[in-house]
Amino acid sequence: MAGEAFDKLARQYSEDGNRERGGEIGAKPQDKLPDLFVEAVQSVPVGGVTPKLIRSGAGFHLIKVLSRSDGSEVTVTQTRARHILLRPSVRLSPEAAKRRLAEFREAVVTGKASFEELARKNSEDGSATSGGDLGWANPGQFVPEFEEAMGRLQLGGISPPIESRFGFHLIQVTDRRDVPMDPKQVREQARNVLREQRYESTYTEWINELRSRAYVEMREAPQ
């Protein structure tokens, strides 16, 4: 109330995963927010702060209303991440690839190396030249195993080695943001997600069919 910036104080004092974003939890429909929050901000104008502390099972909250919408505009949370990709080969076994990525992770966490530099020197895809940066991505843009691991990370967090159909990844989330999407973009995104789900289902069925037809013939050595 004395003029300090809310986001600055949130970065300094807040004790949850949204701290680095200045406490911002994004634009969400009411049914995705705790009833306690919805009730507390009903009479708070845009730009206003709840006049009293709100207590929940998680602790005490102070809430600022950033915007309101009637729901006609759809927003999505985009993620910006970077990764290091290693592809198993004759020279690099899957176990060795995972070990190398684990060593890279340890080097970044302990400050002995930067993620970007390791990506430039070691990543085996087109993002290597930009330090592994994959740019802003909508939900469902990556393969499911990558998407799931990325979604669990907080800002700045680094995943353990993750396996996908492309190889093994080390992932770091650098930023997140909520952006509006027009209906055409939403439909296209839904199509992409469904297409990926069908691919996974078809691939699994194909693998199971190959396994069911496979056999090993054992013969005695000639005398």
Side-chain angles (χ1 to χ4, degrees):
M1 295 303 181
E4 285 279 3
F6 190 98
D7 57 344
K8 176 185 175 182
L9 293 171
R11 288 189 179 93
Q12 187 173 356
Y13 297 110
S14 190
E15 298 177 341
D16 80 342
N18 300 307
R19 175 176 182 167
E20 295 303 320
R21 301 176 63 194
E24 185 177 344
I25 62 176
K28 299 181 183 297
Q30 288 192 9
D31 60 0
K32 299 296 183 182
L33 291 169
D35 292 341
L36 192 66
F37 285 15
V38 175
E39 294 172 5
V41 300
Q42 280 183 349
S43 59
V44 178
V46 173
V49 178
T50 49
K52 298 179 181 179
L53 290 176
I54 301 159
R55 185 171 189 175
S56 74
F60 291 92
H61 310 262
L62 198 62
I63 304 174
K64 180 176 181 177
V65 178
L66 298 181
S67 65
R68 278 193 174 93
S69 171
D70 61 6
S72 59
E73 184 181 73
V74 179
T75 62
V76 298
T77 300
Q78 293 183 331
T79 302
R80 188 160 194 170
R82 52 192 173 205
H83 79 148
I84 301 172
L85 173 66
L86 296 182
R87 303 179 190 272
S89 64
V90 176
R91 295 184 176 182
L92 185 69
S93 68
E95 293 74 19
K98 287 190 287 186
R99 283 197 302 270
R100 285 190 66 189
L101 289 176
E103 291 169 359
F104 292 162
R105 185 182 190 279
E106 180 66 17
V108 174
V109 170
T110 57
K112 295 178 180 178
S114 72
F115 196 104
E116 304 97 304
E117 193 59 34
L118 288 172
R120 288 190 183 95
K121 292 180 179 178
N122 299 281
S123 191
E124 297 178 319
D125 78 336
S127 69
T129 55
S130 58
D133 184 22
L134 298 170
W136 288 104
N138 292 324
Q141 186 168 322
F142 300 120
V143 293
E145 51 271 35
F146 189 102
E147 191 91 21
E148 183 180 350
M150 183 179 69
R152 291 196 298 263
L153 293 173
Q154 296 185 0
L155 292 183
I158 303 176
S159 72
I162 301 297
E163 183 178 9
S164 80
R165 72 189 68 149
F166 301 109
F168 290 90
H169 312 258
L170 200 65
I171 308 167
Q172 183 179 43
V173 170
T174 58
D175 204 356
R176 284 193 173 98
R177 67 183 182 186
D178 293 308
V179 297
M181 293 184 71
D182 61 43
K184 182 179 179 181
Q185 289 175 302
V186 175
R187 287 194 297 271
E188 183 60 31
Q189 180 178 314
R191 289 193 194 98
N192 291 338
V193 172
L194 291 173
R195 190 180 302 117
E196 184 62 39
Q197 290 174 346
R198 284 197 294 269
Y199 174 91
E200 287 295 318
S201 175
T202 303
Y203 178 77
T204 301
E205 290 175 5
W206 177 66
I207 288 295
N208 290 337
E209 183 181 350
L210 287 179
R211 286 173 176 165
S212 68
R213 296 199 311 240
Y215 68 94
V216 177
E217 182 178 357
M218 306 294 290
R219 296 184 178 183
E220 292 184 3
Q223 299 297 324

